[in-house]
Amino acid sequence: MLGRIGVAALLFPVLAVVAPGGAAPAPPEAARALAPGGILRVGVVRAPQAGVFFAAVGPDGAPRGVTVDLGAALAAGLGLPVSDVVFPNSGECTDAVASGAVDVAFMPVDPARSARVAFGPAYTAIESTYLVSAASGIATLAEVDRPGRRVVGIADTTTIRAAGRSLVATRPVAIRGVDEAVAMLRDGRADALALSRDSLEQIAPTVPGSRIVPGGFQRTTISIAVPPGRPEALAAATAFLERAKRDGTVRRAFAALGLPGDAVAP
C-alpha cells in the first residue's frame, strides 16, 4: 500500500528503553498492541516548514517536527525502533492509519476522520484560516468568499472540508501537498490558501506581500490516532500522550522548534 501511494519510509533506530522524563518503560503488552510488527511505524505529514503538526524533510531525507519528536518519544517508552512514514497530506496519512499500514499518527480531528480511525487525546488546538496574496486585495475573511476567488487547500484534510462548508460564492480546489499549494499562491495561480494559522504564520514570510486574514473558519485539535478496532493500542496511545503532556515531553517538542508560546492541550 505504501509503495502504491508513493510514500517514503525512513527508519531511525531508537535504542533507549527508558521512557522520556525518566518514567518507567511501558509494559511489553503495550508494545505488542501498538506495534505488532516490532517497529513503531509513525505517520507524519510533510510541509515546507515544520510546526505543531507538519514535518519538514531535510536534505538528508530525515523528517523534523513535533509529530516526529512525539513518535520518537512513544517508541522510546515502548523500547522499540521507530520508522517515520512521510505523507504529502493528512488524508493519505489517514488512509494508512485506517488500513493499519502505519501504527500511529498525530492528526487534526473532524467527524469524517473520526469515522475511520480511533482518536485518543489531543496535544494542542489549531485554528484554520487563509493566507492571501497581495494581488488578491483580500483583507477580511468575508472577502475570501466572493465569486471568482481562487481558493486552494490540501486534499482530504479537515481544513479543506471546513472551508468547503463555510464558502458559498466560491469553492476550494484540492491540492495534494502544501509545497504545491504555496507555490500556486506565490506565483499568482491562487488568491487564498486555507491552512492552520500556526502553519500559515511560518509560510507567510516565504510569500512576499501575503497576509493572514483575521478570524478563522474552523477550530479543532491535533490528537493521537491508531487503527480502528484495536482497543489495547488506543489505551496505550492514550496513556502515552496524557503522560507526555504531564511530564513536559510535548512542551519540549514545541520548544525544540522555537514554538514556546503554543498551548499544550489540557
Side-chain angles (χ1 to χ4, degrees), residues 11 30-41 80-81 83 100-103 230:
L11 182 62
R32 287 194 293 269
L34 270 170
I39 297 173
L40 186 70
R41 300 167 301 171
L80 293 174
S83 174
V102 298
D103 301 308
R230 298 185 186 177

Side-chain angles (χ1 to χ4, degrees), residues 45 48 53 79 112 115 152 160 184 194 201 250:
V45 181
F53 170 61
V152 295
I160 200 168
M184 292 178 70
E201 288 171 347
V250 175

